């Protein structure tokens, strides 16, 4: 009986929407699907924060801010930098962040032979494992630049390819407030934010983080690994 009342209640609700939106006979089904979609995405209001091109001398400051904000992030490291900043690479793993392979030296993979592409991926896998004790399971192409051949190489090595949905362009140093407004304004549920902890002066990226966390958390986002 309770089930019947619930069904009648749902029917009345749909009918109410249908009367408000009379043009198509499909309206009740459409309304039901839309409501379900909204509920599902509200339950999954997550965003992943990713840092590329490190580790560098800026990474420890970023790790301090992440720890203070209780946020875990994904670090797409260059193999060469993992070798140059071993202590920081180890700290990334120790503090619960995810390591991601971003090639040995930021090569544009569309210009590489298949064997050169494989060597970039494999060398970096081994270097990150040797330095941190952790083997990456994810890979991000430098410049996001790939083709079907190099994507096949990465997948052959057992790696999942990570892209992004929000490009802060923090590397171009547009000012801290611009980095914050891009990160917050363009984030949608399930998004992936691209920032940089290496490759140049990253003081603006560092300065933007507290505000990004505060404003995205105020919007109901939780941070997940990419
Ligand atoms: Zn990069």
């Amino acid at each position: 009986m309770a089930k019947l009342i619930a069904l009648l209640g749902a029917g009345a609700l749909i009918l109410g929407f249908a009367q408000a939106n009379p043009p198509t006979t499909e309206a009740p089904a459409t309304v039901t699907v839309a409501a379900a979609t909204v509920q599902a995405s509200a339950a999954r209001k997550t965003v992943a924060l990713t840092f590329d091109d490190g580790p560098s001398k800026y990474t420890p400051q970023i790790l301090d801010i992440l720890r203070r904000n209780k946020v875990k992030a994904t670090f797409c490291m260059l193999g060469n930098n993992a070798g140059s900043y071993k202590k920081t690479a180890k700290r990334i793993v120790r503090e619960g962040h995810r390591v991601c392979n971003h090639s040995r030296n930021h090569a544009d993979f569309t210009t590489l032979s298949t064997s050169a592409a494989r060597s970039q991926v494999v060398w970096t896998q081994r270097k990150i494992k040797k330095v941190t004790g952790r083997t990456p399971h994810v890979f991000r192409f430098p410049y996001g630049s790939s083709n079907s051949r190099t994507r096949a190489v990465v997948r052959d090595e057992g790696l999942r390819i990570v892209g992004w949905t929000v490009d802060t362009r923090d590397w171009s140093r547009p000012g801290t407030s611009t980095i914050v407004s891009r990160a917050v304004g363009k984030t949608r549920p399930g998004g992936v934010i691209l920032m940089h902890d290496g490759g140049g002066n990253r003081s603006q990226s560092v300065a933007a983080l507290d505000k990004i966390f505060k404003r995205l958390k105020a919007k109901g986002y939780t941070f997940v690994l990419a």
Side-chain angles (χ1 to χ4, degrees), residues 40-76:
S41 51
R44 292 184 276 105
K45 203 164 180 187
T46 60
V47 62
L49 181 59
T50 63
F51 294 97
D52 283 16
D53 303 354
S56 82
K57 65 175 181 175
Y58 295 95
T59 311
Q61 300 173 61
I62 291 172
L63 289 169
D64 290 345
I65 299 167
L66 290 171
R67 185 162 58 186
R68 196 169 65 238
N69 285 275
K70 297 183 168 56
V71 169
K72 304 297 182 198
T74 301
F75 287 83
C76 295

Side-chain angles (χ1 to χ4, degrees), residues 52-54 76 78 102 106 140-144 194 196:
D52 283 16
D53 303 354
C76 295
L78 297 177
H102 193 43
H106 218 271
R140 175 177 275 157
F141 282 99
Y143 316 102
L194 171 61
H196 293 79

Side-chain angles (χ1 to χ4, degrees), residues 9-222:
L13 184 68
I14 289 166
L15 190 63
F17 276 111
Q19 283 167 344
N21 302 285
T24 75
T25 53
E26 299 264 271
T30 308
V31 167
T32 306
V33 168
T37 306
V38 168
Q39 270 183 346
S41 51
R44 292 184 276 105
K45 203 164 180 187
T46 60
V47 62
L49 181 59
T50 63
F51 294 97
D52 283 16
D53 303 354
S56 82
K57 65 175 181 175
Y58 295 95
T59 311
Q61 300 173 61
I62 291 172
L63 289 169
D64 290 345
I65 299 167
L66 290 171
R67 185 162 58 186
R68 196 169 65 238
N69 285 275
K70 297 183 168 56
V71 169
K72 304 297 182 198
T74 301
F75 287 83
C76 295
M77 297 180 186
L78 297 177
N80 281 346
N81 288 357
S84 302
Y85 293 88
K86 292 189 178 71
K87 267 182 68 178
T88 304
K90 283 188 221 294
R91 184 179 162 195
I92 286 170
V93 167
R94 193 171 64 241
E95 298 191 355
H97 306 290
R98 176 167 288 170
V99 286
C100 160
N101 181 332
H102 193 43
S103 84
R104 179 177 185 173
N105 60 6
H106 218 271
D108 179 344
F109 273 54
T110 59
T111 70
L112 299 180
S113 69
T114 300
S115 68
R118 191 175 304 279
S119 148
Q120 285 267 349
V121 174
V122 171
W123 190 93
T124 303
Q125 286 293 92
R126 287 179 186 153
K127 177 58 86 175
I128 293 175
K129 164 74 176 170
K130 190 174 171 208
V131 170
T132 69
R134 187 73 49 87
T135 303
H137 297 294
V138 288
F139 180 90
R140 175 177 275 157
F141 282 99
Y143 316 102
S145 177
S146 73
N147 50 32
S148 58
R149 187 171 54 81
T150 52
R151 286 192 293 274
V153 166
V154 169
R155 291 189 184 115
D156 275 356
E157 297 301 329
L159 288 158
R160 175 168 57 82
I161 296 165
V162 175
W164 62 85
T165 64
V166 180
D167 189 353
T168 61
R169 296 176 66 81
D170 61 331
W171 54 267
S172 69
R173 289 184 256 165
T176 299
S177 61
T178 301
I179 296 172
V180 173
S181 63
R182 284 175 184 162
V184 175
K186 294 179 181 174
T187 290
R188 301 289 177 269
V192 179
I193 300 173
L194 171 61
M195 294 186 72
H196 293 79
D197 64 324
N201 184 326
R202 299 297 172 238
S203 51
Q204 290 185 5
S205 311
V206 171
L209 285 175
D210 272 322
K211 283 195 186 107
I212 290 173
F213 295 142
K214 192 175 171 197
R215 287 171 57 181
L216 284 176
K217 283 178 177 177
K219 285 181 156 198
Y221 279 95
T222 56

